[in-house]
Structures are given as C-alpha cells and as structure tokens.
Amino acid sequence: MKRWEAVAQFLITVTSSETLLGQFSLCLDMTQTLLSNPPRRDVPTSFPPVSELEYIDLHASGAPQDVTSSGSLLAHYLVKPALNDVGRVRAFYMWITSNISYDAAGFQSDSIGPQDAGTVLRHRTGVCEGFATLFKELCREVHIPCKKISGFAKCFGHHPGHIYTADEESNHTWNIVFVSGDWWPIEVTWGAGPIDKNYQFVRQHEELHFLMDPNLFVIKHYPFMKNSLSNSALYQLLRKPINLEEFSKAAVLHNRGIEWGFESTTHIHQVVDVDVSCEITARCTRTKLERMMCYLDEENTGKDFFNYVLIRKKDNGDFTIKVTPPRPGTYTLKIFGQTDSNDDSYHPLTSFFLCCKSSDRSVRPYPKHEGLWGILSNVSAYGFQSDMNKTDVVTTKNGAVELTFQARPEADLTVRLKGADDTGNLDRFIMAHREYGQVVIKCRLPKAGYYSILLFARNLTTLAPKQKHIGSILIQCMEAHSDVRPYPVNPHPWGLMAMALEYGFTKDALLNSIFFTMDGEVEINLETNRKINVSLEVLPSEKTTHNTQASVSETDSSVNIRAQFSSQGYYGIKLFANTSHQEEHEQVYLGAILVNSLKTNKPFL
C-alpha cells in the first residue's frame, strides 16, 4: 500500500463522533507519522521499567467478561489508567498474552480457522495472524499507529541449515507500533508462550517481546512484504538493514540469549564445518554469565555426546567450547547459561549445527560432566579464597596430581575421583589433607586417560546443613603412576576439624595431618589446653588380616597416640571425643590422621 493510500484509508476510519477540528488535528498527526520512514536508530529509547507499569498489568488482568465482547469495548476499558501510548500498548500486550492461546492443534493439522479480530476475541485462540490482527485492532480503536508485518521467523520447526529465499512464502506475522516518537517491533504471539515438542501450547508470559530493540528483533524476524525484499527492508527499523542471506546464516538466539547479549566472537553463523574438532569462543555482553552447559546431540541417532565437549572460562569472562565429535556426522550443539551460582537452573542461549567431516579415532571422552570445568566463583562463601576458581584443567605426565587451595579451618570439603568410563570406585586413589591454612588434594592415577575431581562443600554463610557440588576439575593423565597403593577412604580432608578446638585441642594440633614411619611404628603427639578423653579407630587402606595396634593416652597438655603396623601402606586413625551428658555416653568425630607406613625409601607421591 502506498503512503497516500494508507492515509486515505485512515481518513475513512475516523469515527463520526469526533469534532471536525479534532478529526483534522488527528488526521494531520497521523499523516505525518505514516509519511515518515520508519526510523534508523543507533541507540534505542529507554522505556519505563516493567515495575513502573504494574498498575497497568493489574488493570489488564482484571478486565471483566462483559468488555471482551468487542475490540472497541476491550480497548477503551484497557487504556483507562494509562497515562501515555506506552501504557496503552502495554495494556494490550498484557491482555492478549494472558488471554489468547495459540492454536497449536490447528497449526499442526494445517486447519486454521478465521483470524479476524472478532473471531480471535470470541474464541480466545488464534495463530500469529490472529494475534497480530487483534493487537492492531485494539491500537486502531485508540488511534495508535500500528502495522501488521509478515515475513520470515526462526521459530518452531526452523532448521539451522535452511537458507530463506524470495521465492518462499512468509511464515510469521507480527506488529510494529508507533510510540514515544518512534516505531517499535512488538511480538504478542511469542509473548504468550511457546509450543512444546508435542505441539502443545504452553502459557508462559515473556517480557522480552514487548517493544523490543529492532537490533535484537531482527535476530529472529525478517520482514518480507508483498514479495519485495527491497521495499520490506525499511520495516527492519534499522539504520543498516541486513540482507536475507545474512539473516538465514546468523546464529539463532533463544530468549535469554537475546536478553543477556550472547555472542560468539569466533562463529557468527549457525552452521559450523568441523574437521576433527572446533573451538567456539562466546560471551554475554549484558550480564555476567557464571556458568555454561552444553549438549551435543547427534542428528541421526539423537544420542548425546556431551562428554566430548570441553567448556572453560577465561580470565576476561569469555567462555571457550571445544568440541571433538567421536565420528563424522551432523550434530546440534545446544548451549545453556546460568547467571546466579546459587541457582541450579540453566537457560537455553543458542544452538550451533555442526557438520563434522572427519574425526580422530583415538579421541577419548571426558568424564561425564554437564557444564563448565572449574570451581564456583563464590568460593569464599564455602571457606576458600577466590583464586581457587582459576584451576579447571590439569595435565599430568606421570599420573601424580597435587592441588593446593587456601582455606579457612572450618571449610568443610569432600573430594571424589571419577574416570571417563565411570566404572569402579576410584576414591581410594584421591585424598585431601589440611596443612597450615590450606587444603591439599593429592591423587595417583592408576591408568592413562581423563579423570574428574569432584569437590563438595558446605556454604558457611547460609549455615547450610548439607554440602553442595561446588565444581569439578578435569585431569588429563598421560601415563599411569608407578605407585598406586590406595588410600583409606575418608570423605573429609585428613587432619583435625575446626570443631576440635572446642574440645581442647590447640591450633598447632590442627597443622599436621600426615605422618610417616619407616619401621611400622609411629608416635603422634597432639597439643591440647586441657585433658581430653579420646578414643581411636584405625582405617586400613585395604582389607587386611595383618595385625595393627594403636593406643592413646592423655595428659593436661597433649593427646599421645602410638600405633604399630605390620605391613606397608596407608592407614587412617580416626579421633573421637568421649562425652557424657545425663548419664548418656557419646562419641563426637573430631577428624582423622593419615599414616604412610613405608618399608622402603619410596617417597610419598
């Protein structure tokens, strides 16, 4: 429609109840709006925060049934509390997205009914055409300039490898609306909620699509009006419109990916050609992304090869995603993000379609781990210093690993060891011990391959009763260690716990956690500030019939432990405080000490 035709059509629609002067003034303003090109903006206008429009939302949600019989009644009811056109458009957006359902059944069966505003309003259901038509009708009733736009949208059923052409029919309809002196895209259909994989409409209000920044809107919407790409370009509302090929090839972002400003600095196209492996660098420009998780789905089988994906976080906050598919084929790499380390939920950000031409048959899978390698950023809440989260991947040539982290005495840590095949109990080959304000983690790996060190700790700021998984460290082992004697299984770091201070042990007693003996006998003296009633329990590293003896004696200034081991290996000595309360006896666990009994001069680790 030419501009003057649009103006003429508007003149016809002006209601006869208005005064002649009012008609002339309104027509003049509308003529100027329609004759002006849509804007070519660099920086979007700032709209009021959603919290300031809550009174509009409440009014819209309380619309009585009797005002929904016609678009005119509904529009004039909804705009009553609005102070400007932004508020009026907000009322329309909220009512439609809360009350009109997407006709998923009609969409699936291709049996879509009439999509005029009256029918959609009466049946409370429609597809994108009906949503956009109803929104335009409400705007028309209160003289807000609005246009219905058709074009291509990357929505339900979109295949990432598809290249749109001008020979195709458009697949979606939305609106642009003139408020605050500018044209803005608005998406009432998607604002109501998505269709799930079972073709069921899911009511899920989405704030993102209300008066959206055109630079973001064009990520998933491309206007194509009356089979003319050139004439449709201005409806992108951009200073520099993009062409259809750019739109087709660009990576598709999900709602949170758009809102958080997800972008890849290495791959701008959604389809990625892979020769053996590829590495994608990505970041979020509008929020701080704490963690990331990926799935790697093989297209032909649907199998998830997420353990062939390595995610790391760089010092500047960017993420690297290294993908090494196990065999040639096509894969979908799904990327999820998390902005709050205290929230376990992840949100979809984007997907890449990988075309793998060749693979490395010798490639080994990583241990099962759905997410970023490394430690949570807020480790201080768990009693550790912030530099702990700088360690995510470690390579060892001889099978020995030692990691040292600064920790408060009350830090409550548990470490686990898992292999890539996730078979067998490997906790016997890892240990942690306390040492001078530090926690030291050591492991000796029984064979080459990838391993995962899992760390669990209790939040000390919230006084959480249970430990939480605070991160995992990836270990690449080139060769097995020469000494694979197992440790006794102990879920906590070796050494006395901080609570031992309450029972009379001094801080010096907490400094030593590992002792050695070359002849099978060991004597350990732990300093106290009063006499403590203590009992012991010896933990061998393996089931043994060898004789092990241990005894304890107490003085006013120390606890003295003597132990004798008849064979070499690692032994644990647990300490308990014996307490009595109202004639009931109780043993309180205070910690454990590790003893390395050597019959040779073989060094520890």
Side-chain angles (χ1 to χ4, degrees):
M1 182 184 296
K2 295 181 180 179
R3 290 193 180 96
W4 283 111
E5 292 175 338
V7 174
Q9 182 179 6
F10 170 75
L11 294 176
I12 295 172
T13 62
V14 176
T15 60
S16 59
S17 59
E18 295 175 297
T19 64
L20 181 61
L21 180 61
Q23 290 181 16
F24 177 79
S25 176
L26 183 60
C27 290
L28 181 61
D29 291 342
M30 190 64 173
T31 300
Q32 292 173 343
T33 299
L34 290 172
L35 289 178
S36 63
N37 280 332
R40 309 298 178 94
R41 59 175 70 74
D42 287 322
V43 181
T45 300
S46 177
F47 291 113
V50 175
S51 59
E52 294 184 12
L53 298 173
E54 286 183 356
Y55 72 101
I56 297 288
D57 298 349
L58 289 173
H59 177 74
S61 65
Q65 184 68 26
D66 59 356
V67 304
T68 63
S69 58
S70 73
S72 178
L73 286 174
L74 179 60
H76 288 91
Y77 172 83
L78 291 175
V79 301
K80 284 181 179 179
L83 302 178
N84 50 41
D85 282 351
V86 172
R88 297 178 184 96
V89 169
R90 175 68 181 184
F92 300 158
Y93 182 84
M94 288 302 298
W95 192 90
I96 292 176
T97 58
S98 301
N99 292 276
I100 305 300
S101 298
Y102 191 84
D103 184 10
F107 172 77
Q108 183 182 14
S109 62
D110 198 22
S111 58
I112 299 170
Q115 296 298 301
D116 60 279
T119 301
V120 172
L121 190 58
R122 184 165 57 254
H123 296 292
R124 301 291 178 93
T125 186
V127 294
C128 58
E129 175 73 20
F131 275 79
T133 300
L134 177 57
F135 179 80
K136 181 182 178 182
E137 173 66 15
L138 296 179
C139 289
R140 188 191 69 80
E141 287 289 341
V142 295
H143 313 299
I144 296 177
C146 179
K147 188 170 182 63
K148 194 166 57 174
I149 305 296
S150 60
F152 303 118
K154 296 179 179 179
C155 49
F156 184 85
H158 169 72
H159 190 277
H162 180 69
I163 302 297
Y164 293 99
T165 69
D167 297 328
E168 298 179 53
E169 292 185 0
S170 60
N171 65 352
H172 191 52
T173 306
W174 60 93
N175 300 98
I176 59 173
V177 61
F178 191 86
V179 294
S180 296
D182 228 334
W183 287 94
W184 297 92
I186 190 165
E187 173 64 271
V188 287
T189 309
W190 293 1
I195 303 176
D196 65 17
K197 60 182 180 181
N198 298 317
Y199 281 87
Q200 297 295 314
F201 170 65
V202 180
R203 177 80 63 192
Q204 185 175 302
H205 178 78
E206 178 54 63
E207 199 63 54
L208 178 70
H209 304 301
F210 175 69
L211 299 180
M212 197 170 177
D213 178 356
N215 294 283
L216 304 180
F217 197 77
V218 77
I219 292 173
K220 300 174 79 169
H221 298 78
Y222 194 90
F224 184 48
M225 306 282 284
K226 296 185 178 181
N227 297 320
S228 174
L229 290 175
S230 58
N231 291 339
S232 300
L234 59 87
Y235 294 111
Q236 294 180 30
L237 310 181
L238 300 176
R239 178 177 292 274
K240 295 181 179 180
I242 65 174
N243 61 48
L244 188 55
E245 183 179 6
E246 289 177 290
F247 171 77
S248 299
K249 292 183 176 181
V252 179
L253 302 183
H254 298 291
N255 291 340
R256 298 293 76 76
I258 295 174
E259 180 184 351
W260 296 347
F262 179 91
E263 65 179 20
S264 171
T265 57
T266 54
H267 295 75
I268 62 174
H269 294 157
Q270 191 168 18
V271 178
V272 178
D273 291 327
V274 178
D275 186 8
V276 180
S277 68
C278 71
E279 185 167 294
I280 298 171
T281 300
R283 63 190 176 195
C284 284
T285 59
R286 298 187 190 91
T287 190
K288 182 181 179 182
L289 195 63
E290 289 288 346
R291 302 183 70 77
M292 186 179 284
M293 180 176 71
C294 293
Y295 293 142
L296 183 65
D297 295 338
E298 189 176 38
E299 188 175 35
N300 291 338
T301 65
K303 184 177 180 181
D304 185 9
F305 288 99
F306 68 90
N307 53 337
Y308 287 85
V309 180
L310 174 63
I311 311 172
R312 304 183 70 179
K313 190 172 184 179
K314 301 169 72 173
D315 290 340
N316 65 357
D318 289 359
F319 291 79
T320 60
I321 307 167
K322 183 179 180 181
V323 184
T324 312
R327 57 195 180 212
T330 53
Y331 300 82
T332 299
L333 177 67
K334 301 176 181 178
I335 302 176
F336 301 79
Q338 181 188 87
T339 58
D340 184 357
S341 57
N342 294 318
D343 182 4
D344 292 332
S345 60
Y346 282 83
H347 300 274
L349 301 179
T350 190
S351 297
F352 287 95
F353 191 70
L354 309 184
C355 298
C356 181
K357 302 175 182 178
S358 61
S359 62
D360 182 358
R361 293 185 177 181
S362 64
V363 64
R364 293 172 174 172
Y366 302 113
K368 291 183 178 179
H369 177 75
E370 296 180 347
L372 175 71
W373 290 96
I375 314 300
L376 293 177
S377 60
N378 63 334
V379 290
S380 58
Y382 296 85
F384 300 94
Q385 289 193 4
S386 58
D387 59 353
M388 183 183 191
N389 54 35
K390 294 182 179 180
T391 303
D392 61 347
V393 179
V394 175
T395 299
T396 172
K397 295 181 179 180
N398 61 3
V401 176
E402 180 171 330
L403 304 171
T404 302
F405 302 115
Q406 301 294 321
R408 288 154 52 186
E410 60 270 28
D412 183 15
L413 179 70
T414 297
V415 293
R416 302 285 308 277
L417 181 66
K418 286 190 175 183
D421 55 7
D422 202 24
T423 59
N425 184 3
L426 299 179
D427 290 340
R428 298 176 303 150
F429 301 101
I430 186 171
M431 58 88 89
H433 68 93
R434 303 179 189 276
E435 182 179 281
Y436 302 102
Q438 300 173 331
V439 169
V440 181
I441 300 173
K442 298 181 180 181
C443 53
R444 301 186 315 279
L445 305 174
K447 61 181 181 180
Y450 288 107
Y451 295 83
S452 173
I453 296 178
L454 291 82
L455 294 91
F456 303 84
R458 187 171 55 85
N459 193 314
L460 303 179
T461 58
T462 62
L463 301 179
K466 295 183 179 180
Q467 290 183 330
K468 175 184 176 180
H469 178 225
I470 63 169
S472 297
I473 298 172
L474 177 66
I475 307 297
Q476 182 181 19
C477 178
M478 310 304 290
E479 293 183 5
H481 196 273
S482 57
D483 178 12
V484 290
R485 294 176 300 155
Y487 300 112
V489 176
N490 180 33
H492 302 284
W494 296 99
L496 292 181
M497 302 169 65
M499 64 179 300
L501 299 173
E502 303 174 14
Y503 289 85
F505 284 96
T506 65
K507 291 183 178 180
D508 289 341
L510 274 62
L511 297 179
N512 298 314
S513 55
I514 300 180
F515 296 84
F516 302 85
T517 173
M518 298 297 297
D519 57 8
E521 295 185 0
V522 65
E523 183 172 345
I524 302 169
N525 298 313
L526 303 175
E527 185 177 318
T528 65
N529 53 32
R530 60 179 183 270
K531 191 172 184 178
I532 308 171
N533 186 4
V534 175
S535 58
L536 308 176
E537 179 184 342
V538 177
L539 292 174
S541 57
E542 297 179 295
K543 293 182 178 179
T544 178
T545 58
H546 297 293
N547 185 31
T548 300
Q549 298 179 355
S551 62
V552 60
S553 60
E554 305 92 356
T555 69
D556 292 338
S557 59
S558 66
V559 167
N560 307 303
I561 301 171
R562 294 178 61 87
Q564 185 175 22
F565 311 104
S566 57
S567 61
Q568 69 176 11
Y570 292 99
Y571 295 84
I573 301 177
K574 287 186 173 182
L575 280 76
F576 300 87
N578 299 317
T579 62
S580 298
H581 180 68
Q582 295 181 353
E583 298 183 356
E584 292 185 4
H585 299 285
E586 182 183 5
Q587 285 189 328
V588 179
Y589 177 69
L590 300 179
I593 295 169
L594 182 67
V595 178
N596 184 6
S597 179
L598 297 168
K599 295 297 183 180
T600 67
N601 292 324
K602 187 179 295 184
F604 182 71
L605 279 184

